Amino acid sequence: MDLVSVPPKLLYYWRVFGKVLSFGVFGLGAPVLFLLVFPLMRICIHPAERYMFCARWFISKVMQSFVLFMSVIQVVSLSVDDKLSYANLKSKIVIANHPSILDVVFLIALIPNANCIVRSALTHTIIGGVIKTLYIPNDENFAELVADCRASLERGECLIIFPEGTRPLMRSCCLLRKGLLVLLLKQIVTLFPFVLVVIKKQA
């Protein structure tokens, strides 16, 4: 049986719609999780260390579902070598490049016990309380930041770091931040490099 071909223009519009839909799902789902689900988990799950473990595990499952949703509607397709190995990572610093806005979504979906250094601006939003509890804001003084990273790794968590600090412009020189170097010089970590490659679909 011959399949009916889909015009490239129609595929383009479908992908635009899929991206808008994905942003909408994420934008509506995040406040529900951070304002309703996680406060209820905090009340029901004790002590605080167990709550943080369960909350991060839950976030990982939500991110897995979100990536699957985007795959089904053909917005993205995530291909990973030896995916099972990421689920078993413990006490590693995961070093990743930062080519897209979905990088942290992919990594948290792959690594259930992931911690990460987040922009301090997020702590001043309606989800700031949960962000400060589960992750490490980058506005701490450097000694506190290193101490929090060390404590996270000692608890068996994996720490996601983007040495570029932000997404670089295409074909621009990548400038790395000093934080990773200091952590390495203190010899508190085992590195796990992760390279993200973005392949754009052609309509």
Side-chain angles (χ1 to χ4, degrees):
M1 181 177 66
D2 293 331
L3 296 177
V4 177
S5 61
V6 180
K9 197 168 185 178
L10 185 59
L11 284 176
Y12 170 79
Y13 287 129
W14 170 254
R15 286 172 186 154
V16 171
F17 169 75
K19 289 176 183 179
V20 173
L21 180 62
S22 297
F23 278 112
V25 169
F26 191 90
L28 293 174
V32 172
L33 291 175
F34 283 97
L35 297 178
L36 295 177
V37 177
F38 292 131
L40 286 174
M41 290 178 68
R42 185 68 186 92
I43 293 170
C44 298
I45 301 175
H46 300 279
E49 290 78 11
R50 185 163 177 264
Y51 158 71
M52 288 190 292
F53 175 83
C54 292
R56 288 199 187 98
W57 178 88
F58 183 74
I59 289 175
S60 180
K61 294 301 179 184
V62 170
M63 293 304 182
Q64 287 176 24
S65 300
F66 183 58
V67 172
L68 178 61
F69 167 74
M70 289 189 295
S71 254
V72 169
I73 65 173
Q74 298 182 3
V75 171
V76 299
S77 178
L78 179 62
S79 177
V80 182
D81 294 331
D82 194 12
K83 187 181 294 187
L84 187 60
S85 66
Y86 296 94
N88 299 320
L89 284 180
K90 288 185 178 180
S91 299
K92 300 284 190 297
I93 276 194
V94 179
I95 306 300
N97 60 323
H98 201 358
S100 81
I101 60 174
L102 293 173
D103 304 333
V104 71
V105 171
F106 295 145
L107 287 168
I108 290 177
L110 290 169
I111 305 170
N113 64 336
N115 197 345
C116 63
I117 299 173
V118 299
R119 289 185 177 183
S120 59
L122 291 174
T123 64
H124 304 297
T125 64
I126 58 174
I127 63 176
V130 177
I131 290 291
K132 285 188 283 190
T133 301
L134 296 181
Y135 302 110
I136 303 172
N138 64 1
D139 62 346
E140 296 181 348
N141 71 63
F142 202 74
E144 290 179 351
L145 188 66
V146 172
D148 285 345
C149 290
R150 183 191 296 272
S152 175
L153 293 163
E154 288 175 350
R155 290 193 298 265
E157 299 160 7
C158 290
L159 186 63
I160 298 171
I161 292 182
F162 298 103
E164 296 160 306
T166 187
R167 285 182 294 136
L169 297 174
M170 294 297 291
R171 299 188 181 92
S172 67
C173 180
C174 170
L175 298 176
L176 304 184
R177 308 303 181 192
K178 70 174 183 179
L180 174 61
L181 177 61
V182 174
L183 289 174
L184 290 176
L185 291 176
K186 288 179 177 291
Q187 298 181 343
I188 66 172
V189 298
T190 301
L191 294 181
F192 190 93
F194 188 97
V195 179
L196 289 145
V197 179
V198 176
I199 302 175
K200 293 186 178 181
K201 292 182 178 180
Q202 301 296 323

